């Protein structure tokens, strides 16, 4: 292509160029000079003053330098070679754009290379500083280091193998208990307590020889004469002057004191723990002893219950014969019109023994918490009348004592309570009044008060028993309700009694949710006041009869009641006591029964099962529960298992809590406690026989 261009033509075009072309040529020359100047400035020592502005416009300069020659070449080719007039401007613009792009890329690459070159030069070029500047910078670093070490809460020292300090901070001197200047005199070991010095020195030298770090705790003398604990941590330092130890010294006195207090606290806690363990051991031992005592008490209670049960059985069994035959003799004496006074005396004293036994059993039930109430609707008027009727007999030959009875008109005719317990309480209080009143009066007062604060239908029944007897002192009142206690020994001898009546009465009243109080003065008399809640009081004319046991007088006069007949009824009596066999045989045969006797349960089971299929089957069985060979419980169970459906009456001397339920549980229909009253026995037998007529005796084969 160059051969196509004629040199003459170039000279002619150059000298004939237009103004625009001349301007382009000048710009190219200026751009080349500025780029050359930029390269020279970049190499000069004072480049920082001039290179920044040049670098700022470097891309423009490269664009002019590369774009303007393209414009000239484009103009020349258009006008003189290609002969395309009118196309100069597009070629100019294309040339300028091409030059601008190439200039920008070239400037970027050169700037990157320049920065890399500068960083390398800066990294490897040594800094030339004067001695004065070095001294000033060294002093500045030393000052900052001193300020740093002095502001730390620990001290710093540098020492040789002998402990002589080459460097010491004021904090270290303060910790060692010396002045700053004294710290450089001698060895710092001299400030350590003698007991720790030898061991510290030996450890220091041994670590020095091995060039190993060293750490130790020791004590130093403080300025005030006290002892201070320090912790020293050392590391070897090798310099041009040889090896030394740089040590950090920390005051750990407070830490030691805290640790000591903590150790004391731990020891105290350990002692407390040991004490608690000892207390726990003693508590466990006490619990074991209490459990053993509880078991012993339970065994004692069980033994007492068994003793009372056996005693009750052994007393009631002969008492049945005594009372029964006394009744028989009284009946015979009455028929023969003979005097029965000795027999009545025997009967009365036997009844007293029976009452004493009942009191002991009731007290045992109270102590065991097994005394149950049997509440029903009863008449308070009837209870008062019965007690007065029974106890007036004791005043028949004592005209000097008047017996008075007052019942308020608004007292309900019936209420819901336990008539047996209420009658027993009243009997005990009136009996004591009769016993301790030689002359004067005995007054029973019954009243009723509505209780407005309670629900409708509830009130308070008030019962007072007042006498003009010998009275009691305050000391006697304090032990009034203690069991087996009397006013004093002489009273017990003169008047008798066991001291159980008031104890039992108080428990009865409290179990009925009531309260009993007493007022007494020596020589004036005594007044007992009982307040009981009157549940469901009735004020109509229907009076419920109190279902209470008969009194001793009723027992004595039981032979005078209407006689009941058992004509032709087949009865089996299962009893091992010969005396009771004779007594019960007499009562039953006299009532017209056809009686058969079995001495133990095994004989009874055999006879009942053999007679069951025949016309001679027994209609009722009176079963003693404690017998040899086979007892009544086992015999009853075997009879019920064999299909015997006839009535069985438990006839036993066991009168403890739960004995009735035990007998009924094995299959008995009723329960009678010895000594048996003739009237009660015959009434129960007659009632069971009437109910059994609709339930024939059936035995499975």
């Amino acid at each position: 292509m160059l051969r196509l261009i004629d040199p003459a033509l170039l000279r002619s075009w150059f000298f004939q160029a237009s103004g625009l072309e001349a301007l382009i040529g000048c710009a190219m020359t200026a751009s080349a000079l500025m780029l050359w100047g930029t390269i020279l400035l970049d190499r000069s020592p004072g480049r920082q003053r001039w290179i920044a502005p040049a670098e700022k416009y470097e891309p423009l300069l490269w664009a002019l330098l590369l774009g303007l020659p393209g414009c000239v070449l484009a103009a020349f080719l258009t006008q003189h070679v290609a002969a395309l007039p009118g196309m100069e401007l597009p070629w100019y613009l294309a040339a300028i754009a091409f030059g601008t792009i190439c200039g920008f890329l070239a400037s970027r690459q050169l700037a990157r290379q320049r920065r890399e070159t500068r960083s390398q030069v800066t990294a490897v070029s040594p800094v030339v500083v004067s001695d004065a500047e070095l001294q000033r910078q060294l002093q500045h670093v030393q000052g900052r280091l001193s300020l740093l070490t002095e502001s730390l809460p620990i001290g710093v020292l540098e020492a040789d193998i002998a402990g002589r300090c080459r460097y010491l901070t004021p904090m270290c001197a303060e910790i060692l208990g010396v002045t700053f200047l004294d710290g450089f005199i001698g060895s710092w070991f001299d400030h350590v307590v003698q007991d720790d010095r030898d061991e510290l020195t030996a450890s220091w030298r041994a670590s020095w020889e091995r060039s190993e770090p060293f750490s130790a705790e020791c004590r130093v003398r403080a300025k005030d004469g006290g002892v201070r604990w320090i912790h020293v941590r050392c590391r070897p330092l090798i310099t041009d002057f040889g090896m030394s130890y740089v040590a950090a010294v920390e005051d750990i006195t407070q830490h030691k004191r805290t640790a000591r207090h903590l150790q004391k606290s731990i020891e105290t806690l350990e002692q407390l723990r040991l004490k608690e363990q000892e207390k726990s051991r003693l508590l466990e031992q006490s619990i074991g002893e209490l459990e053993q005592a509880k078991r012993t008490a339970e065994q004692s209670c069980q033994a007492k219950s068994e003793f009372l049960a056996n005693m009750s059985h052994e007393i009631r069994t002969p008492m049945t014969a005594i009372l029964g035959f006394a009744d028989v003799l009284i009946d015979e004496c009455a028929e023969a019109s003979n005097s029965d006074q000795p027999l009545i005396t025997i009967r009365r004293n036997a009844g007293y023994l029976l009452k004493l036994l009942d009191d002991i059993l009731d007290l045992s039930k109270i102590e065991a918490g097994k005394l149950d109430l049997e509440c029903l609707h009863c008449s308070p008027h009837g209870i008062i009348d019965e007690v007065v009727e029974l106890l007036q007999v004791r005043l028949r030959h004592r005209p000097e004592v008047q017996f008075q009875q007052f019942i308020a008109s608004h007292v309900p005719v019936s209420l819901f309570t336990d008539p047996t317990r209420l009658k027993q309480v009243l009997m005990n209080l009136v009996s004591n009044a009769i016993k301790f009143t030689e002359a004067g009066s005995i007054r029973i007062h019954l009243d009723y008060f509505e209780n407005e604060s309670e629900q409708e239908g509830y009130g308070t029944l008030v019962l007072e028993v007042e006498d003009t007897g010998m009275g009691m002192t305050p000391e006697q009142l304090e032990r009034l309700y203690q069991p087996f206690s009397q006013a004093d020994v002489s009273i017990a001898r003169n008047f008798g009694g066991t001291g159980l009546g008031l104890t039992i009465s108080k428990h009865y009243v409290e179990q009925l949710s009531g309260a009993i109080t007493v007022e007494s003065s020596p020589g004036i008399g005594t007044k007992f006041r009982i307040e009981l809640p009157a549940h469901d009081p009735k004020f109509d004319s229907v009076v419920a009869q109190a279902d209470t046991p008969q009194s001793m007088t009723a027992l004595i006069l039981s032979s005078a009641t209407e006689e009941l007949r058992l004509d032709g009824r087949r009865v089996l009596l299962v009893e091992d006591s010969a005396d009771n066999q004779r007594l019960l045989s007499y009562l039953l045969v006299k009532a017209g029964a056809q009686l058969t006797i079995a001495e133990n349960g095994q004989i009874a089971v055999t006879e009942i099962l053999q007679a069951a299929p025949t016309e001679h089957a027994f209609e009722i069985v009176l079963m003693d529960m404690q017998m040899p060979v086979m007892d009544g419980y086992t015999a009853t169970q075997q009879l019920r298992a064999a299909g015997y459906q006839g009535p069985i009456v438990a006839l036993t001397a066991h009168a403890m809590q739960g004995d009735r339920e035990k007998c009924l549980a094995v299959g008995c229909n009723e329960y009678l406690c010895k000594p048996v009253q003739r009237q009660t026995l015959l009434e129960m037998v007659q009632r069971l026989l009437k109910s059994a007529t609709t339930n024939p005796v059936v035995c499975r084969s």
Side-chain angles (χ1 to χ4, degrees):
M1 178 180 171
L2 293 176
R3 286 196 301 265
L4 297 177
I5 301 174
D6 187 1
L9 181 61
L10 290 174
R11 288 192 300 270
S12 175
W13 177 79
F14 182 78
F15 288 107
Q16 295 178 4
S18 63
L20 177 60
E21 295 169 345
L23 181 60
I24 292 174
C26 293
M28 290 173 58
T29 304
S31 299
L33 292 176
M34 290 185 67
L35 286 174
W36 180 254
T38 301
I39 296 173
L40 293 178
L41 287 174
D42 194 23
R43 297 176 181 270
S44 66
R47 62 178 293 278
Q48 294 296 335
R49 181 177 179 183
W50 302 100
I51 194 63
E55 289 179 352
K56 182 176 181 181
Y57 299 103
E58 186 176 14
L60 178 61
L61 296 176
W62 277 104
L64 293 175
L65 183 62
L66 296 177
L68 293 180
C71 293
V72 175
L73 181 60
F76 175 77
L77 293 176
T78 303
Q79 295 180 6
H80 302 282
V81 178
L84 297 174
M87 294 297 294
E88 294 86 354
L89 182 60
W91 282 101
Y92 288 165
L93 295 177
I96 291 173
F98 175 76
T100 302
I101 294 173
C102 294
F104 179 76
L105 295 176
S107 65
R108 286 282 302 273
Q109 182 66 22
L110 291 175
R112 186 181 299 109
Q113 293 177 356
R114 190 181 295 114
R115 285 193 299 270
E116 293 176 355
T117 303
R118 289 173 185 170
S119 62
Q120 293 175 359
V121 171
T122 304
V124 301
S125 299
V127 180
V128 180
V129 184
S130 63
D131 293 341
E133 181 67 16
L134 288 175
Q135 186 67 24
R136 187 184 65 79
Q137 292 181 3
L138 180 61
Q139 290 178 356
H140 177 68
V141 172
Q142 289 178 345
R144 295 180 65 182
L145 181 61
S146 298
L147 180 62
L148 177 64
T149 55
E150 290 175 1
S151 62
L152 293 175
I154 61 175
V156 179
L157 62 84
E158 181 184 354
D160 58 11
I161 188 172
R164 293 184 295 269
C165 293
R166 297 174 182 175
Y167 175 78
L168 183 72
T169 62
M171 177 60 69
C172 184
E174 182 179 352
I175 293 175
L176 294 177
V178 297
T179 62
F180 182 73
L181 296 178
D182 291 341
F184 293 94
I185 301 175
S187 173
W188 75 273
F189 298 146
D190 298 336
H191 309 300
V192 179
V193 175
Q194 183 64 39
D195 295 340
D196 300 341
R197 187 181 306 165
D198 296 338
E199 182 179 357
L200 177 65
T201 304
S203 301
W204 176 282
R205 293 181 182 275
S207 300
W208 182 285
E209 293 174 358
R210 295 191 298 269
S211 299
E212 295 178 350
F214 168 70
S215 177
E217 293 182 357
C218 60
R219 293 169 292 174
V220 297
R221 291 289 179 183
K223 293 181 180 180
D224 57 0
V227 176
R228 177 180 296 168
W229 278 92
I230 64 172
H231 184 206
V232 183
R233 292 183 293 272
C234 308
R235 298 188 66 86
L237 177 65
I238 300 176
T239 63
D240 296 338
F241 302 99
M243 192 181 80
S244 61
Y245 257 152
V246 177
V249 182
E250 182 182 4
D251 184 0
I252 59 171
T253 304
Q254 185 63 33
H255 296 169
K256 284 287 185 178
R257 185 179 296 113
T258 303
R260 186 168 59 253
H261 291 165
L262 181 60
Q263 183 63 29
K264 289 183 179 179
S265 300
I266 293 175
E267 293 175 356
T268 303
L269 290 176
E270 181 65 18
Q271 293 177 358
L272 292 176
R273 186 183 67 84
L274 295 177
K275 290 182 179 179
E276 290 298 324
Q277 286 183 349
E278 181 65 17
K279 289 181 179 179
S280 299
R281 187 186 65 81
L282 294 176
L283 181 60
E284 291 178 357
Q285 181 179 352
S286 300
I287 292 175
E289 293 175 354
L290 289 175
E291 290 179 351
Q292 180 62 33
K294 179 184 177 182
R295 287 192 294 268
T296 303
E298 290 176 349
Q299 292 174 359
S300 300
C301 184
Q302 181 66 24
K304 183 182 74 171
S305 298
E306 292 176 357
F307 167 75
L308 290 175
N310 292 331
M311 183 188 69
S312 173
H313 183 273
E314 296 302 321
I315 293 178
R316 289 178 183 274
T317 299
M319 193 66 67
T320 301
I322 294 173
L323 294 175
F325 282 112
D327 288 337
V328 171
L329 292 176
I330 290 174
D331 291 343
E332 292 179 353
C333 289
E335 293 176 359
S337 301
N338 294 329
S339 175
D340 58 355
Q341 190 62 37
L343 296 174
I344 293 178
T345 302
I346 295 174
R347 185 67 172 80
R348 184 175 63 251
N349 285 277
Y352 172 77
L353 292 177
L354 184 61
K355 183 180 182 304
L356 175 60
L357 178 61
D358 291 336
D359 288 344
I360 295 175
L361 295 180
D362 286 345
L363 181 62
S364 176
K365 295 177 184 178
I366 291 171
E367 292 177 348
K370 297 181 179 180
L371 186 65
D372 297 328
L373 297 178
E374 296 181 5
C375 294
L376 48 87
H377 279 91
C378 59
S379 169
H381 303 77
I383 294 175
I384 296 292
D385 293 339
E386 284 187 48
V387 172
V388 171
E389 180 182 355
L390 293 174
L391 295 182
Q392 272 185 340
V393 179
R394 298 172 55 180
L395 297 175
R396 184 179 303 170
H397 303 291
R398 295 175 59 184
E400 65 276 7
V401 179
Q402 296 182 359
F403 201 97
Q404 301 173 352
Q405 173 183 344
F406 299 95
I407 299 178
S409 58
H410 54 273
V411 173
V413 295
S414 71
L415 50 85
F416 190 76
T417 187
D418 188 333
T420 303
R421 307 306 179 192
L422 181 58
K423 181 178 179 180
Q424 190 170 351
V425 170
L426 187 58
M427 287 281 293
N428 289 334
L429 296 181
V430 176
S431 296
N432 283 341
I434 295 174
K435 182 193 305 183
F436 296 109
T437 303
E438 297 181 357
S441 63
I442 299 173
R443 185 176 67 91
I444 300 177
H445 182 246
L446 183 64
D447 205 345
Y448 174 81
F449 298 97
E450 292 287 349
N451 194 351
E452 297 179 357
S453 62
E454 296 291 340
Q455 300 178 358
E456 183 180 357
Y458 288 82
T460 301
L461 186 70
V462 178
L463 178 64
E464 293 181 349
V465 178
E466 185 176 3
D467 64 69
T468 58
M470 58 186 303
M472 292 177 285
T473 63
E475 293 78 10
Q476 293 170 342
L477 290 175
E478 291 180 359
R479 59 177 186 271
L480 183 63
Y481 299 110
Q482 296 179 4
F484 305 104
S485 175
Q486 289 279 5
D488 59 31
V489 180
S490 62
I491 292 178
R493 286 198 304 264
N494 294 334
F495 297 94
T498 60
L500 293 177
L502 291 178
T503 303
I504 296 174
S505 298
K506 184 175 186 296
H507 283 286
Y508 284 166
V509 172
E510 291 176 350
Q511 196 166 9
L512 291 169
S513 302
I516 181 171
T517 58
V518 58
E519 298 176 4
S520 183
S521 299
I524 297 178
T526 303
K527 181 173 74 172
F528 284 91
R529 178 183 175 91
I530 298 174
E531 296 182 3
L532 295 175
H535 297 281
D536 195 16
K538 304 295 184 182
F539 296 92
D540 52 16
S541 59
V542 179
V543 180
Q545 297 298 322
D547 185 13
T548 56
Q550 294 180 349
S551 63
M552 293 182 211
T553 305
L555 291 174
I556 296 172
L557 301 177
S558 61
S559 59
T561 59
E562 181 181 356
E563 189 166 347
L564 299 173
R565 302 298 301 171
L566 302 175
D567 295 331
R569 310 310 292 264
R570 293 179 298 278
V571 180
L572 176 64
L573 174 63
V574 188
E575 173 66 58
D576 62 320
S577 172
D579 292 335
N580 288 335
Q581 287 179 3
R582 287 192 294 270
L583 173 63
L584 296 175
S585 298
Y586 174 81
L587 297 178
L588 294 170
V589 171
K590 186 177 180 180
Q594 295 182 12
L595 184 65
T596 302
I597 299 177
E599 296 180 354
N600 56 63
Q602 185 174 352
I603 298 175
V605 172
T606 302
E607 292 189 1
I608 292 173
L609 297 181
Q610 289 178 354
T614 68
E615 60 182 6
H616 301 291
F618 297 106
E619 299 178 71
I620 190 169
V621 179
L622 304 179
M623 181 76 72
D624 187 15
M625 305 309 290
Q626 182 171 335
M627 296 177 293
V629 183
M630 179 184 291
D631 58 35
Y633 301 103
T634 305
T636 302
Q637 289 176 329
Q638 290 187 5
L639 288 173
R640 295 308 186 194
Y644 179 74
Q645 298 181 4
I648 301 177
V649 177
L651 196 63
T652 177
H654 293 291
M656 296 296 291
Q657 179 75 19
D659 287 333
R660 175 185 176 86
E661 290 74 13
K662 184 178 179 181
C663 294
L664 298 180
V666 297
C668 295
N669 299 89
E670 272 293 354
Y671 167 88
L672 272 180
C673 181
K674 297 177 182 179
V676 179
Q677 303 173 32
R678 179 177 59 181
Q679 187 75 9
T680 304
L681 173 63
L682 297 179
E683 287 178 354
M684 181 176 291
V685 171
Q686 190 178 65
R687 174 170 56 83
L688 291 175
L689 288 174
K690 288 181 180 179
S691 62
T693 55
T694 58
N695 297 307
V697 177
V698 177
C699 287
R700 291 193 296 268
S701 58

